[in-house]
């Protein structure tokens, strides 16, 4: 099997077909809807890839010692990407966290999967997971959940930086709350 490079698709004529099939969009609503539709397709495709990777490793009986080489030789992405997709897919399929509480992107689900099980369970009980999570949310969740690594005490500078970030977040929330309250007041007037 020949490894497919990322540039191969551009030269295959498939992009010409994609250009011809693309709808003509003129409004913000149309652009947003089309971009989100395609992003959802990408996310769905990654889950399918994850299932196929897991199945290929099992069916082809490729051991851990040969798996990385197999991925690097035959697939368009590297072993780290394959590992992350597989770990995210395993968590998603396990049902440990309801799928409606997981972000749709495999990279974010992988970040959640990398949290030790006991801490993930605590976060689940606390209602910490939601589909609109961003990487910064997961990073903050890890800071809150996980004990500091041995020998890695947070510096005064790091603590002050986090306090500033929290102050900014509080300000943003206060502004948004005021906007919503004004909007609600206008609706009831």
């Amino acid at each position: 099997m020949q490894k497919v490079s990322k540039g191969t698709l551009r030269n295959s004529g498939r992009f010409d077909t994609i250009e011809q099939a693309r709808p003509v969009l003129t409004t913000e609503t149309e652009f947003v809807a089309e971009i989100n539709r395609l992003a959802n397709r990408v996310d769905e495709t990654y889950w399918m890839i994850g299932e196929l990777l897991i199945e290929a490793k099992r069916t082809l009986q490729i051991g851990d010692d040969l798996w990385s080489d197999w991925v690097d030789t035959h697939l368009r992405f590297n072993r780290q990407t394959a590992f992350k997709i597989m770990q995210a897919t395993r968590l998603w399929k396990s049902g440990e966290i309801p799928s409606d509480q997981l972000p749709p992107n495999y990279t974010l689900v992988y970040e959640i999967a990398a949290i030790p099980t006991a801490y993930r369970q605590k976060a689940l009980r606390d209602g910490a997971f939601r589909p609109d999570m961003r990487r910064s949310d997961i990073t903050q969740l890890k800071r809150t959940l996980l004990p500091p690594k041995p020998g890695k005490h947070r510096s005064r500078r790091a603590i002050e930086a986090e306090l500033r970030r929290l102050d900014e977040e509080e300000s943003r929330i206060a502004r948004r709350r005021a906007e919503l309250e004004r909007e609600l007041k206008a609706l009831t007037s």
Side-chain angles (χ1 to χ4, degrees):
M1 175 184 276
Q2 177 188 0
K3 185 169 180 170
V4 178
S5 70
K6 293 173 183 154
T8 304
L9 291 177
R10 168 124 347 252
N11 300 326
S12 69
R14 289 183 56 198
F15 279 92
D16 295 335
T17 306
I18 292 169
E19 283 293 321
Q20 292 168 1
R22 204 184 76 157
V24 175
L25 309 172
T26 58
T27 68
E28 179 181 16
T29 302
E30 290 172 339
F31 278 106
V32 168
E34 183 65 6
I35 291 167
N36 284 330
R37 183 185 70 78
L38 292 172
N40 287 337
R41 278 185 34 200
V42 168
D43 292 334
E44 291 166 8
T45 300
Y46 274 110
W47 297 124
M48 291 169 40
I49 290 170
E51 289 176 327
L52 287 171
L53 286 167
I54 292 165
E55 186 178 340
K57 187 174 181 188
R58 183 184 63 246
T59 302
L60 301 175
Q61 298 178 355
I62 303 169
D64 289 338
D65 54 334
L66 299 175
W67 177 249
S68 293
D69 290 337
W70 187 87
V71 169
D72 286 341
T73 302
H74 298 292
L75 302 178
R76 285 182 42 204
F77 44 82
N78 63 34
R79 61 187 87 171
Q80 292 89 354
T81 301
F83 177 79
K84 288 178 180 182
I85 294 171
M86 291 169 71
Q87 291 299 96
T89 301
R90 286 185 182 110
L91 178 63
W92 172 65
K93 288 188 74 168
S94 75
E96 176 189 330
I97 300 171
S99 61
D100 65 345
Q101 293 179 30
L102 287 171
N105 184 288
Y106 87 88
T107 60
L108 298 178
V109 176
Y110 168 74
E111 293 295 329
I112 293 170
I115 298 171
T117 304
Y119 294 105
R120 271 197 320 264
Q121 291 301 313
K122 179 184 181 330
L124 179 63
R125 284 190 304 274
D126 294 345
F129 300 118
R130 47 182 217 287
D132 64 343
M133 290 184 90
R134 296 183 181 278
R135 186 171 316 282
S136 59
D137 298 323
I138 296 169
T139 300
Q140 185 58 36
L141 176 64
K142 286 179 178 180
R143 280 191 195 124
T144 306
L145 280 176
L146 303 176
K149 293 180 182 175
K152 288 218 172 184
H153 297 285
R154 292 172 43 158
S155 69
R156 177 182 186 90
R157 187 182 204 177
I159 293 169
E160 288 171 345
E162 185 170 349
L163 285 170
R164 282 191 303 276
R165 189 191 59 73
L166 289 171
D167 287 342
E168 290 167 6
E169 191 173 326
E170 285 176 347
S171 296
R172 182 190 57 78
I173 290 170
R175 286 190 307 273
R176 181 65 180 140
R177 176 178 295 279
E179 288 172 9
L180 290 171
E181 287 173 352
R182 283 191 300 273
E183 188 176 336
L184 184 61
K185 187 176 180 180
L187 289 173
T188 57
S189 300

